[in-house]
Structures are given as structure tokens and as C-alpha cells.
Amino acid sequence: MIAALVDLLGIFYANNDLPNFEVIARSIQTAIPNDLVSLQFLGLVYYRTGRVDEAVSVFERVIRWRNSGAAVQGGETNADISDSDRSSTACMRESTKPDSFLAKAWYDLGAVLLQLRRFDLAISVLRNSLSAEPNSAQATLALGRAGLGAADLDLAHACFSALLQKRPDSGEARIGLGLVYRKRREFAAARACFDRVRALRGGVR
């Protein structure tokens, strides 16, 4: 049942059918009140349909819930986990499995959270996107930017470096790497990155 609902979410989002995407997200949220997948996607559809205040309220609720420690932790036994928690875990698993139809929805949600400067939540969401689509260059770049925003320089460095291994001429990734070096006060390395970008764009080294 959960797998079918998650598949429907993905299909509706891929077809840009936001009204039905919202209907399914609400249905999951009603059945599993503590489900973070459907709650976050409700925030996404609110944002995309101009209900920005409602979207922000949803995202703040998600952040509070995560920070409270209410989320199911990996070390808990089956006896510690409620049926609702098991269903929520299954929903997350289905929505982030490789080649999930929801990879784009996770990425778009991450992009929204970057715009809203909710960097820690953006990191979690963009990791979900990469779980569903591991080779996504745009999700890797966005995760690096979220790492920068959250001052997680190791994460940012890893993302930008990984992207540059695949796309050595990516100016955006090299700028990101330069910003990491600058924040680390490694100014020579930062300057080399920025000079390389200028050269790629036809400027003078």
C-alpha cells in the first residue's frame, strides 16, 4: 500500500500534476501523522502553488520535530517502534530507493530550502535526492551549497570535489570549492580556483 502511494506521488510530480500530488501527500499524512516524507512534500506543493507562508510553517514544523529527537533512531528495537513509525520508515525507504520517481521532487524541495536558507534541512533532503539518483550533478552541486550555508565545509568540499572529478570544467563547482578554501583561510587555493573559473569563461588568468 505504501509503495503504491509513493509511486503515485512520483508519477503525479513527474507529470506536474500538483493538485493530485497534494491529494496523495495529504492522504499519506492522514494515515501516518508523523510521516516526514508526505509532510515535506506538502510544504513543497504549498511553496510551488504560492502558499509560501504555509510552506514555511510546514518546514519549521519539520525542523522542530527533527530537533526534538522524536524521529525513529536506527538503534531502536522493533518493540520500541510503533506501527506509525514503521510505516513512516517504509515511506522514506520507498521514496529514496534508487531510480525512485521522487528524485526530482526531493531535488526541487532541496532547492526551495536553499532559497529559504534552511540549510540543515536542505542537506537532509538533498541526500534523499542523491539516494534516489546517485549520479545527479545538480543535486551534488546543491548539496555542496547547502554544506557551505550550514558551515559544513567537509561536506561542501566533498561535493564540489566529486562533481569536478566528473565535470572538470564546471565553473559553479569550482567557485564553490574556492569558497570552501576561502572560509578555511586557504587563500592561495581559493585564488587558484577563481582564476581557473575566469580562464574557463574566457578571462585572463
Side-chain angles (χ1 to χ4, degrees):
M1 181 66 167
I2 290 174
L5 287 172
V6 171
D7 282 347
L8 278 175
L9 270 179
I11 291 168
F12 287 137
Y13 197 80
N15 291 329
N16 202 34
D17 186 348
L18 296 183
N20 277 318
F21 181 80
E22 180 174 348
V23 167
I24 298 300
R26 285 188 180 280
S27 297
I28 296 173
Q29 187 63 201
T30 298
I32 315 170
N34 64 343
D35 177 57
L36 282 183
V37 174
S38 55
L39 183 59
Q40 290 176 102
F41 285 149
L42 277 175
L44 173 61
V45 76
Y46 290 160
Y47 191 89
R48 287 200 55 191
T49 54
R51 292 170 282 174
V52 177
D53 289 344
E54 291 178 68
V56 170
S57 177
V58 165
F59 299 142
E60 292 301 325
R61 178 181 165 193
V62 171
I63 290 168
R64 286 195 303 272
W65 192 85
R66 285 165 53 88
N67 290 344
S68 73
V72 178
Q73 302 299 318
E76 292 169 332
T77 65
N78 287 338
D80 297 322
I81 303 174
S82 68
D83 289 342
S84 180
D85 287 333
R86 275 190 285 271
S87 296
S88 182
T89 299
C91 196
M92 179 63 75
R93 184 172 58 247
E94 287 294 324
S95 70
T96 58
K97 66 184 180 183
D99 299 321
S100 167
F101 290 132
L102 285 168
K104 181 64 163 58
W106 283 122
Y107 170 76
D108 288 350
L109 176 56
V112 167
L113 291 166
L114 276 176
Q115 291 177 29
L116 296 173
R117 302 181 66 82
R118 269 56 173 191
F119 297 120
D120 288 335
L121 186 54
I123 287 172
S124 172
V125 163
L126 289 164
R127 281 177 167 154
N128 290 340
S129 179
L130 283 166
S131 292
E133 191 177 351
N135 295 318
S136 171
Q138 63 179 1
T140 302
L141 181 65
L143 182 56
R145 288 171 172 165
L148 267 179
D152 187 340
L153 300 185
D154 289 342
L155 172 63
H157 185 279
C159 290
F160 296 136
S161 296
L163 187 52
L164 284 168
Q165 287 183 350
K166 298 177 183 178
R167 300 185 177 186
D169 292 340
S170 171
E172 291 177 309
R174 203 164 292 278
I175 288 172
L177 192 59
L179 292 173
V180 170
Y181 287 135
R182 190 165 70 183
K183 285 180 177 291
R184 289 176 170 171
R185 303 185 68 79
E186 298 176 31
F187 297 119
R191 190 179 307 112
C193 286
F194 300 142
D195 286 347
R196 176 62 177 156
V197 172
R198 281 193 289 270
L200 289 170
R201 294 177 176 175
V204 179
R205 291 182 65 87

